[in-house]
Amino acid sequence: MSTVPAASAVPARRESRHTAVAVVVLLLCGLTLALAYANKARCAGAPFYDDGRSVVFDVIKDSDVCYSDIQFLWIGRDIDRHVFPYVDGGITDDGMLTGGAVEYPVLSGTLIWVGAIGAHTDADFLRLSALLLAPFALLTAWFLARLAGRAALLWAIGPPLVLYAFHNWELPVVCSAVAAVYVVTVPTRYSLRIRGVLAAVLLGLGFCLKLYPGIFVLPLMIYVLTGGAERDPDDARGLDVRGALLTAGAAVGTVVAVNLPFALAGYEGWRASITFQQLRQADITTNSIWYWGHHVLYGRATETSTAWHDGVAIASPTLILLAFALAVWLGWKRYRATGVFPWIGVSGAMLCGFLVFHKVHSPQYTLWLLPFLVLLAVPWQVIGAYLLADAAIGIGVFRYFYAMGSGAPFEVQEAIVQFGVWGRAVLLVALFFLFLRADPRASGVRAERATDDRGDLVAA
């Protein structure tokens, strides 16, 4: 009697195993989110000022490293007054937002407004916002577990989720980007065109949350254009130009459909978020190579000049675009060699270029990068080094601010911050090239298998 399991039972067992891994990742992510909230909630609670600000916030936000933009922005954007964003807003000549305008794209602004419903203090706002954001982190954990198996634990229990889950409104945009990868990768019973269009819609929604997923539309278009991973190398039908154009149209259409009502209802308020980011300078709060590079070139005591900021405003986008072009070109070279355009790797490399050269590099942007570290098989030593540099920023910068504000010596804290800034920059350059060469991490969801005549499992 044969002891070889029936061929039909093997996929079911494998699917059950991968589902179990995903459930464990999901549960652990939930525990991490509870810890993340507890960390930020140390800065919130009674007693409160008349405007609902926690008295303790300004006392310990830097020293205890519990600062969050969510709690900070309770005051100053009319969030505490429950003003619907953008419609009646604007921006002053000196860059101050007014009338409910916020510095984020419209879907993030709307989520901020929703999170404030029923809140009367910054502690309420932090709690309600955390409840609103947490499902996006859990959904991201599920997608990553289905795509990359146990590697998803890097997202679910990694230090960045503790530090940044409720630091700002990043979780929805990360979820949209990961969902786009999932849609392209997993439901292969649908044509690549359909999957590309659906993914483009998700990336368009991500653009309306925090902009950066919009840069992934170009590599997605090229992936659809070239037929993806399932294209038969002997297929002589050529490039799918129509599919690529439909992908681009879906992304653009989504962005227009989401933004147009806001632009029509209150153009000045809608435009204010864009103007705010254009006017923002590379200062001590931005954690970028531009601010700290000025220190290296001219010394810590030298003030940044208008000419410097004007130069950064030109150099930063120029270098970002050059990095994008290099990523796409190297990705195309790999396509010519392997027959598959590495759209996930190219997307990750483009994000690295953006993070290195953008004039603002907030600590929570690590959440943007983390899914690529899960999805692509880059060395774990590099990931560990990046998390160390990130912690130097995510923790060290607030201790640095505290030391400066209290009049204490801050040389050690400044050295830690600089280690984080430059270490992170060097590692992003390394990851730029590693992403382009890396294969996706193995996952049973994507690793289809067949059974040969003897019952042995062979890779499809």
Side-chain angles (χ1 to χ4, degrees), residues 40 43-44 51 53-54 57-58 61-62 66-80 103-104 122-123 125-126 166-169 276 280 285 398:
K40 297 301 185 183
C43 268
D51 57 11
R53 167 73 77 216
S54 299
F57 179 71
D58 287 324
K61 62 182 173 62
D62 293 330
C66 55
Y67 169 90
S68 72
D69 289 336
I70 294 176
Q71 191 178 354
F72 176 75
L73 291 177
W74 168 251
I75 304 297
R77 299 292 187 271
D78 283 345
I79 295 170
D80 57 321
E103 56 266 50
Y104 305 116
D122 61 355
F125 182 47
L126 178 64
F166 306 121
H167 186 93
N168 197 284
W169 293 270
F276 181 92
R280 191 171 183 186
T285 67
F398 295 106

Side-chain angles (χ1 to χ4, degrees), residues 246-369:
L246 287 172
T247 300
V252 173
T254 300
V255 172
V256 171
V258 171
N259 280 272
L260 188 59
F262 290 90
L264 293 176
Y267 178 79
E268 293 301 324
W270 172 79
R271 184 69 176 80
S273 64
I274 302 171
T275 304
F276 181 92
Q277 297 298 339
Q278 289 174 332
L279 294 176
R280 191 171 183 186
Q281 297 181 337
D283 58 26
I284 195 171
T285 67
T286 61
N287 308 293
S288 69
I289 63 170
W290 301 105
Y291 175 80
W292 291 102
H294 185 274
H295 278 223
V296 171
L297 293 174
Y298 301 107
R300 182 160 51 86
T302 305
E303 293 291 331
T304 51
S305 64
T306 300
W308 173 263
H309 290 298
D310 290 343
V312 170
I314 296 172
S316 173
T318 299
L319 290 171
I320 288 172
L321 290 175
L322 289 173
F324 288 177
L326 178 61
V328 171
W329 179 67
L330 291 174
W332 186 261
K333 286 188 65 177
R334 185 169 181 186
Y335 160 68
R336 296 296 297 271
T338 65
V340 178
F341 184 80
W343 86 276
I344 300 175
V346 171
S347 297
M350 292 172 73
L351 179 60
C352 289
F354 178 85
L355 293 176
V356 169
F357 295 121
H358 190 45
K359 59 185 177 181
V360 179
H361 192 158
S362 298
Q364 72 271 12
Y365 292 175
T366 296
L367 293 178
W368 302 0
L369 187 71

